[in-house]
Amino acid sequence: LRILVTILNENDNFPVFPQPNITRQVPEDTEVDTVIVAREEVTATDADLDTIYYELTTTVQNTDGYFAIRGLNNPEIYLQTALDYDKFNSTTLLLYARDKPVTSPEPTHTTTATITIIIKQSDTRAPWFLPCTQLHNNTSVCISSPYSGRVNISEMSTDPLLLEPGPIYAVDPDYTISDRIVYRIVGGNTNEVFSVDADTGNLTMNKIVTSLDPFLLQVMATQVSNVRKYSVATVEIKVINKSNFPPYFEKEVYNGTVFVGLPQRSFVYQAGDPSTPLVITAMDQDFPDV
């Protein structure tokens, strides 16, 4: 008697990943569509020789949509959306491997691989002059105001000039890199009157000013390791006549008269002379002709 026995394959094995835990460091400026984890590193095997179906999710809030797999049966992980270190600097992905489609009514064996992504900050931004204001709470843009100061005509100052809203100072906004900043004047320095310290940004005078014409300096801040990363700030220097005397009033006491019932912005008149408006006058010996 000849008996033919056929052995049927029972779906009793789970898919197996070659590495259940993977860590990748990804530069912030990585181009979209770049492969982060190669297909062969995350392709699961199944002793039952079933077709494997993959799904990728993230466990960190607000990091959805940045990484994806190529397809339902292709687990290659790639960058789908441009990264921003200020939004998040790490995330954890879960890659599921199933031996049946998610919608299958049959029993399914599922295995999970954990992929840890660490974002490395890149040198993507030019220096920021401080103080500055972030634009609409966008941490990638910070707008600074012009600097301003003044010098006396025909007078040489040996100390660094006092500026508003503060001294010339710039930082590398890519703070984990924090490249050193150097300064130089690139415009508006007529007759080389001023100079800026390359390391500190202090603005000093090289010679006296003989004209009341103001200066509109352009100061550049550049990263030492990347000269293409630079910013330019405007520094307005007004030239004034030296003030040796405080202003003073012509009288110590002024007396005036007002009438009941007058509307707002009505004149106040001199006491004893209701036809002459009261005028308060100040003088300054530094400006006798004004």
Side-chain angles (χ1 to χ4, degrees):
L1 178 64
R2 178 178 296 179
I3 300 175
L4 181 62
V5 178
T6 302
I7 300 176
L8 300 178
N9 187 15
E10 180 73 16
N11 185 17
D12 55 356
N13 291 285
F14 283 80
V16 177
F17 282 105
Q19 301 180 66
N21 295 283
I22 298 175
T23 299
R24 286 289 183 274
Q25 292 190 352
V26 182
E28 176 188 13
D29 58 353
T30 299
E31 294 185 1
V32 171
D33 205 45
T34 298
V35 175
I36 305 301
V37 183
R39 180 174 183 174
E40 57 270 16
E41 294 183 80
V42 285
T43 297
T45 57
D46 189 336
D48 299 315
L49 303 180
D50 292 320
T51 299
I52 305 299
Y53 300 86
Y54 299 93
E55 180 187 4
L56 185 69
T57 63
T58 179
T59 63
V60 180
Q61 189 176 7
N62 299 324
T63 62
D64 289 329
Y66 286 90
F67 300 92
I69 56 176
R70 294 293 184 185
L72 193 61
N73 302 117
N74 183 351
E76 180 178 85
I77 300 174
Y78 69 99
L79 182 64
Q80 183 173 246
T81 303
L83 298 171
D84 185 342
Y85 185 86
D86 291 322
K87 291 183 178 179
F88 69 97
N89 52 40
S90 66
T91 187
T92 300
L93 308 176
L94 296 180
L95 181 62
Y96 297 95
R98 300 182 176 92
D99 57 10
K100 291 288 187 297
V102 177
T103 57
S104 175
E106 300 179 26
T108 303
H109 296 95
T110 303
T111 302
T112 305
T114 302
I115 297 94
T116 302
I117 302 293
I118 299 173
I119 312 300
K120 295 182 63 179
Q121 190 171 40
S122 300
D123 192 6
T124 60
R125 293 176 290 190
W128 287 353
F129 281 97
L130 301 181
C132 66
T133 303
Q134 291 182 355
L135 187 63
H136 306 305
N137 296 321
N138 185 346
T139 57
S140 63
V141 179
C142 202
I143 306 300
S144 60
S145 300
Y147 296 93
S148 63
R150 61 184 183 179
V151 296
N152 295 323
I153 192 170
S154 302
E155 183 174 304
M156 181 72 176
S157 174
T158 57
D159 296 326
L161 301 184
L162 297 178
L163 303 176
E164 293 292 339
I168 298 172
Y169 181 62
V171 297
D172 181 0
D174 300 313
Y175 53 87
T176 62
I177 299 173
S178 192
D179 198 1
R180 188 166 69 90
I181 306 297
V182 293
Y183 308 87
R184 65 189 179 102
I185 299 175
V186 294
N189 194 15
T190 306
N191 297 324
E192 303 297 323
V193 172
F194 302 98
S195 62
V196 64
D197 187 283
D199 295 316
T200 66
N202 286 336
L203 190 65
T204 54
M205 298 183 69
N206 298 322
K207 60 184 73 172
I208 63 173
V209 181
T210 58
S211 169
L212 289 174
D213 294 335
F215 291 82
L216 200 62
L217 305 177
Q218 303 293 320
V219 177
M220 176 186 287
T222 308
Q223 293 181 202
V224 171
S225 64
N226 188 352
V227 295
R228 294 184 179 181
K229 291 290 187 297
Y230 67 88
S231 295
V232 177
T234 300
V235 184
E236 182 183 14
I237 302 296
K238 294 181 179 179
V239 183
I240 62 173
N241 288 306
K242 185 176 181 179
S243 180
N244 294 312
F245 303 96
Y248 63 92
F249 290 102
E250 289 185 316
K251 298 179 181 180
E252 290 186 359
V253 179
Y254 289 83
N255 296 309
T257 300
V258 295
F259 299 96
V260 176
L262 291 178
Q264 292 183 358
R265 298 183 181 276
S266 297
F267 285 117
V268 175
Y269 293 93
Q270 293 184 16
D273 187 359
S275 62
T276 303
L278 178 64
V279 178
I280 299 174
T281 305
M283 304 292 290
D284 192 330
Q285 296 182 40
D286 293 308
F287 306 96
D289 300 327
V290 177

